[in-house]
C-alpha cells in the first residue's frame, strides 16, 4: 500500500533529517554521475590507437553509455518506488564504481565498452535523488534542493570537461577512470552515512515484460538516432531500427495500459501537466546540447579558418566551466521564482534565456570572452529550466510514483540531447569549408546549429505555455491517486 510521506520531524528517531547534508550528498552524487557524459571526450580521438580498434568501433565507448543510461533511468526509478529509493541509489553508485574500475583496468575495446555500459547504468541517481528529497526534506527546502539536483546533470557535464582534459593531458588515460571510481567511492560512503531510506514505497511486482519492451524499443530508437549519420539515414539498418522502435513501443504502450502494475503508469504520464512538461523537456534537452557541441569546436578549430580560435581542449573546457557554476547559483533563484509565480513561469523564463544566449553567440564568436559570456547566459537559462521540471512533475503525481515520474522526465531530456547530436551532426557534415585539403564545418554551419538551438528553446517556450495553471502547486504537494487505479491500489 502507498503511504504518504511522513513529515521530516516524524522521521525515525523523532529528529528531522540533516537536510543540508542530504542535499549536499545527493547533489554531489548527481554531479559525479553526470561527469560520465564528458569523461571520455578528451580521449575519443585517441581511442582507436589506445584500444587498437577502428574508430567506428571505439565510438561505442560513447554510444554504449547513452543506450545503457536510457534503459536504466526509468527502470531504476520504478525499482526505487517499489523497493526503496536509497537502496537503488546505492546500487546505481556501485554500478558506477564497478564500471570505472573495469575501464581503469582495460586496454582493449570489449572491456572498455562493458565498463562504459556499467557507468551508464548509474544514470538513475539524479531522479532518485530528487525523489528522496521530496520524501525527506522540509517544504521550505524542497524547491531549491530539487532545482540544484536537477541542474547537477548540466553542472557535472560543464565541470567535467576541463577536469577530464587536464587529467588526459598530464596523466595516463586510465587515471580518468580511477578518478571517477574514487569519486564514486566517496559518494557511496556519503550516501550510506547521511541519506535516510524513505518509507514511501509502492511495493508490488516489477513489470519484467514492460521493462524488456521499453529497453528494446529505446535501444532501437536511440541507436538509429545516434548511428544514423554513420550508417546513412536512408539505409536499411537505420530505417529498420526506426520501424522496429515504433512497433515495439506501440506494443509496449498497449501492455502498460493493461497490466495492473506497469513499469510506467501511462495514465499518470498522460495527465496534461506531466505530458506537456515532458514534451518541453525534449526541446530543452535538444537546446542544451547545442552549447556542448558548438562552443568547444569553435574554440578549438584552427585560427586559419577565420572563425576558429585555435585553443586547446583544456581551454575550451575552462570556458564552459563557469556555466556549471552559474547553473548551481541559479538553483535558489529558480526555486524562489517557482514559489512566487509557479514553476511554469520559471521554465518559460529559463528557455527564453537559453534562446537569448544562442542568439548572442551567432553575433559574438570572435573572442574567448564571447564564449564565456554565452556559456554563462545559456547555463543560467538551463539552471532555471531544469530547476523547474521536478516541481512540475512532483506536483502532478502521487508521492509513491515520484521516482518513476522523474526518471521518465530525465529520459525525455536525454532523448532531446540525442536528437540534437544527430541533427547538428548532419548540419556540420553538410556545410563544410576546405582547409589544407581537410573538410571542416563552415562558420555558417555553426550559426545554423546555434539558430536551431535557439529555435528549440523557443519551441520549449511555446510548449510550456500549455502547462495548466495548477503547475504552480508546491512540489511535493499531495496528489490524489487516479480514479482509474482501483485494481492497483487494492494490489498494494
Amino acid at each position: 500500500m502507498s503511504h504518504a510521506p511522513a513529515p521530516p520531524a516524524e522521521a525515525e528517531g523523532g529528529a528531522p533529517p540533516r537536510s543540508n547534508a542530504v542535499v549536499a550528498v545527493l547533489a554531489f552524487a548527481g554531479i559525479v554521475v553526470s561527469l560520465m557524459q564528458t569523461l571520455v571526450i578528451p580521449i575519443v580521438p585517441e581511442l582507436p590507437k589506445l584500444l587498437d580498434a577502428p574508430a567506428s568501433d571505439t565510438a561505442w565507448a560513447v554510444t554504449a553509455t547513452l543506450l545503457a543510461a536510457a534503459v536504466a533511468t526509468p527502470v531504476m526509478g520504478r525499482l526505487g518506488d517499489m523497493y526503496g529509493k536509497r537502496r537503488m541509489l546505492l546500487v546505481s553508485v556501485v554500478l558506477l564504481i564497478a564500471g570505472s574500475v573495469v575501464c581503469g583496468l582495460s586496454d582493449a575495446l570489449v572491456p572498455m565498452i562493458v565498463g562504459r555500459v556499467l557507468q551508464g547504468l548509474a544514470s538513475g541517481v539524479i531522479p532518485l535523488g530528487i525523489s528522496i528529497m521530496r520524501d525527506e526534506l522540509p517544504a521550505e527546502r524542497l524547491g531549491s534542493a530539487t532545482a540544484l539536483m536537477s541542474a547537477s546533470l548540466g553542472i557535472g557535464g560543464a565541470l567535467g570537461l576541463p577536469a577530464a582534459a587536464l587529467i588526459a593531458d598530464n596523466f595516463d588515460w586510465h587515471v580518468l577512470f580511477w578518478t571517477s571510481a574514487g569519486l564514486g567511492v566517496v559518494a557511496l560512503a556519503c550516501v550510506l552515512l547521511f541519506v535516510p531510506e524513505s518509507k514511501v514505497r509502492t511495493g508490488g511486482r516489477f513489470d519484467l515484460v514492460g521493462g524488456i519492451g521499453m529497453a528494446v524499443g529505446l535501444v532501437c530508437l536511440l541507436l538509429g538516432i545516434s548511428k544514423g549519420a554513420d550508417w546513412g539515414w536512408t539505409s536499411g539498418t537505420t530505417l529498420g531500427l526506426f520501424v522496429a522502435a515504433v512497433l515495439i513501443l506501440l506494443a509496449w504502450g498497449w501492455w502498460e495500459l493493461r497490466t495492473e502494475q506497469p513499469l510506467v503508469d501511462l495514465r499518470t504520464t498522460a495527465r496534461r501537466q506531466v505530458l506537456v512538461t515532458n514534451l518541453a523537456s525534449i526541446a530543452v534537452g535538444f537546446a542544451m546540447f547545442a552549447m556542448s557541441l558548438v562552443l568547444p569546436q569553435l574554440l578549438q578549430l584552427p585560427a586559419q579558418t577565420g572563425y576558429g580560435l585555435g585553443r586547446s581542449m583544456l581551454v575550451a573546457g575552462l570556458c564552459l566551466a563557469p556555466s556549471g557554476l552559474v547553473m548551481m547559483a541559479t538553483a535558489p533563484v529558480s526555486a524562489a521564482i517557482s514559489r512566487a509565480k509557479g514553476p511554469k513561469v520559471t521554465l518559460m523564463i529559463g528557455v527564453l534565456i537559453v534562446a537569448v544566449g544562442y542568439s548572442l553567440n551567432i553575433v559574438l564568436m570572435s573572442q574567448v570572452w564571447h564564449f564565456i559570456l554565452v556559456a554563462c547566459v545559456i547555463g543560467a537559462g538551463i539552471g532555471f529550466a531544469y530547476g523547474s521540471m521536478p516541481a512540475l512533475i512532483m506536483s502532478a503525481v502521487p508521492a509513491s510514483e515520484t521516482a518513476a515520474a522523474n526518471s521518465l522526465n530525465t529520459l525525455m531530456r536525454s532523448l532531446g540531447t540525442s536528437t540534437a547530436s544527430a541533427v547538428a551532426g548532419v548540419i556540420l557534415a553538410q556545410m563544410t569549408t576546405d582547409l589544407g585539403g581537410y573538410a571542416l564545418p563552415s562558420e555558417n554551419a555553426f550559426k545554423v546549429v546555434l539558430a536551431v538551438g535557439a529555435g528549440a528553446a523557443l519551441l520549449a517556450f511555446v510548449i510550456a505555455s500549455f502547462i495548466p495553471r495548477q503547475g504552480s502547486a508546491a512540489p511535493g504537494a499531495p496528489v490524489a491517486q487516479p480514479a482509474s487505479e482501483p485494481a492497483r491500489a487494492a494490489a498494494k
Side-chain angles (χ1 to χ4, degrees):
M1 179 177 178
S2 299
H3 301 281
E10 295 174 13
E12 192 171 309
R18 293 162 286 188
S19 299
N20 292 336
V22 169
V23 173
V25 167
L26 292 176
F28 174 71
I31 291 171
V32 169
V33 168
S34 63
L35 289 173
M36 298 309 106
Q37 297 178 91
T38 51
L39 185 68
V40 298
I41 287 179
I43 62 171
V44 164
E46 304 296 323
L47 282 177
K49 180 178 68 176
L50 297 173
L51 302 177
D52 192 24
S56 58
D57 291 340
T58 58
W60 284 97
V62 177
T63 306
T65 307
L66 165 71
L67 299 178
V71 172
T73 301
V75 169
M76 282 296 184
R78 179 60 179 153
L79 290 173
D81 283 335
M82 293 174 65
Y83 303 119
K85 303 175 184 75
R86 177 178 181 266
R87 181 177 298 173
M88 289 303 111
L89 182 68
L90 291 170
V91 170
S92 297
V93 177
V94 168
L95 288 171
L96 170 66
I97 297 169
S100 300
V101 170
V102 171
C103 290
L105 294 172
S106 68
D107 286 302
L109 180 63
V110 172
M112 170 65 79
I113 292 176
V114 170
R116 291 290 288 164
V117 167
L118 291 172
Q119 288 183 322
L121 293 176
S123 62
V125 163
I126 292 174
L128 286 168
I130 292 170
S131 304
I132 290 171
M133 288 175 174
R134 179 185 191 180
D135 295 344
E136 301 300 329
L137 297 182
E140 64 272 12
R141 291 295 314 277
L142 185 58
S144 60
T146 55
L148 175 61
M149 189 71 196
S150 182
S152 67
L153 181 64
I155 295 169
L159 300 181
L161 184 59
L166 181 64
I167 293 172
D169 285 348
N170 294 279
F171 301 96
D172 179 78
W173 65 276
H174 293 90
V175 175
L176 287 168
F177 298 102
W178 291 118
T179 301
S180 67
L183 292 172
V185 169
V186 173
L188 181 69
C190 291
V191 171
L192 286 169
L193 288 172
F194 298 108
V195 178
E197 179 61 271
S198 169
K199 293 181 172 62
V200 183
R201 303 185 189 182
T202 61
R205 296 185 303 274
F206 180 72
D207 177 17
L208 182 60
V209 174
I212 294 173
M214 186 200 65
V216 175
L218 285 175
V219 167
C220 289
L221 176 63
L222 292 173
L223 196 53
I225 292 173
S226 60
K227 289 294 188 179
D230 296 332
W231 296 338
W233 291 105
T234 58
S235 70
T237 302
T238 304
L239 294 177
L241 284 170
F242 285 140
V243 171
V246 171
L247 295 176
I248 292 169
L249 291 175
L250 284 174
W252 170 78
W254 177 88
W255 170 265
E256 293 297 282
L257 289 171
R258 282 158 179 77
T259 187
E260 286 189 354
Q261 298 180 18
L263 176 70
V264 176
D265 187 346
L266 294 181
R267 292 181 176 86
T268 298
T269 304
R271 292 178 185 174
R272 183 177 167 189
Q273 181 166 320
V274 179
L275 177 63
V276 177
T277 301
N278 282 334
L279 291 175
S281 298
I282 297 175
V284 173
F286 189 107
M288 173 188 173
F289 189 79
M291 175 182 74
S292 305
L293 183 70
V294 172
L295 271 62
Q297 288 198 55
L298 284 170
L299 284 162
Q300 292 177 82
L301 280 173
Q304 294 92 318
T305 59
Y307 51 90
L309 300 188
R311 306 290 177 165
S312 67
M313 171 72 78
L314 177 59
V315 172
L318 290 172
C319 289
L320 294 183
S323 68
L325 302 177
V326 171
M327 290 180 208
M328 193 179 301
T330 55
V333 181
S334 169
I337 295 174
S338 294
R339 282 195 301 270
K341 301 294 184 179
K344 171 183 175 178
V345 173
T346 309
L347 175 57
M348 295 175 76
I349 291 173
V351 294
L352 281 181
I353 294 173
V354 171
V356 169
Y358 283 123
S359 301
L360 279 175
N361 202 190
I362 292 173
V363 296
L364 297 177
M365 53 167 41
S366 60
Q367 302 291 331
V368 169
W369 71 266
H370 291 169
F371 291 93
I372 297 173
L373 172 64
V374 167
C376 289
V377 172
I378 296 174
I382 292 170
F384 278 103
Y386 274 22
S388 65
M389 289 174 189
L392 286 164
I393 295 296
M394 290 191 296
S395 63
V397 302
S400 57
E401 298 178 14
T402 301
N406 279 320
S407 296
L408 184 63
N409 182 252
T410 302
L411 176 62
M412 293 300 103
R413 299 187 219 172
S414 298
L415 183 61
T417 58
S418 300
T419 306
S421 175
V423 171
V426 169
I427 295 170
L428 296 178
Q430 295 298 318
M431 302 176 66
T432 61
T433 186
D434 184 84
L435 181 67
Y438 292 94
L440 298 175
S442 67
E443 182 178 11
N444 284 335
F446 288 111
K447 289 184 176 181
V448 169
V449 174
L450 292 169
V452 170
L458 293 176
L459 176 61
F461 178 86
V462 173
I463 295 172
S465 69
F466 290 96
I467 296 173
R469 289 174 180 252
Q470 57 265 37
S472 61
V479 178
Q481 289 282 359
S484 60
E485 297 180 350
R488 290 181 60 203
K492 297 168 192 173

